[in-house]
Amino acid sequence: MLHTVVDAAYLAQGAVNFDINPEVPPGANGLLKLLNWLLWGVTLACVAALIFSGGKFAWEKWQHGSGDSPKMLVGSLVGAIVAISANQILGAVTSAA
């Protein structure tokens, strides 16, 4: 217990200088390339879902039917927003390092 108090007092005096320099880990460029490819795939999937759900929504309107196409349309828009936001967050994190 006394040892912990002495260490805390020693650190509080500022005798220890922490010099922390963040570095990019090895292989990070490959990981970022893979994540960019994944983002392109997700974006293409969101565009395809948007086109499909829009067509289905138009077909249901024309046939006077009710279905779940409005939910699909909103879901594809939300998916696209989440994917684009994830890219912006990843860009901010990697540029800060």
Side-chain angles (χ1 to χ4, degrees):
M1 178 72 161
L2 181 62
H3 182 23
T4 307
V5 173
V6 172
D7 287 341
Y10 182 69
L11 290 174
Q13 292 175 356
V16 177
N17 185 10
F18 292 107
D19 189 22
I20 299 173
N21 295 322
E23 296 179 12
V24 177
N29 290 333
L31 178 64
L32 290 176
K33 183 182 258 188
L34 180 66
L35 287 175
N36 283 332
W37 289 350
L38 182 65
L39 177 65
W40 272 106
V42 168
T43 303
L44 288 175
C46 287
V47 169
L50 184 65
I51 292 170
F52 177 75
S53 61
K56 187 174 178 182
F57 183 64
W59 179 259
E60 287 176 359
K61 280 290 210 183
W62 188 57
Q63 294 292 326
H64 302 292
S66 62
D68 58 330
S69 59
K71 293 177 190 175
M72 289 174 54
L73 189 61
V74 171
S76 62
L77 289 173
V78 169
I81 290 169
V82 168
I84 291 170
S85 298
N87 186 29
Q88 297 297 324
I89 292 169
L90 180 65
V93 168
T94 56
S95 68

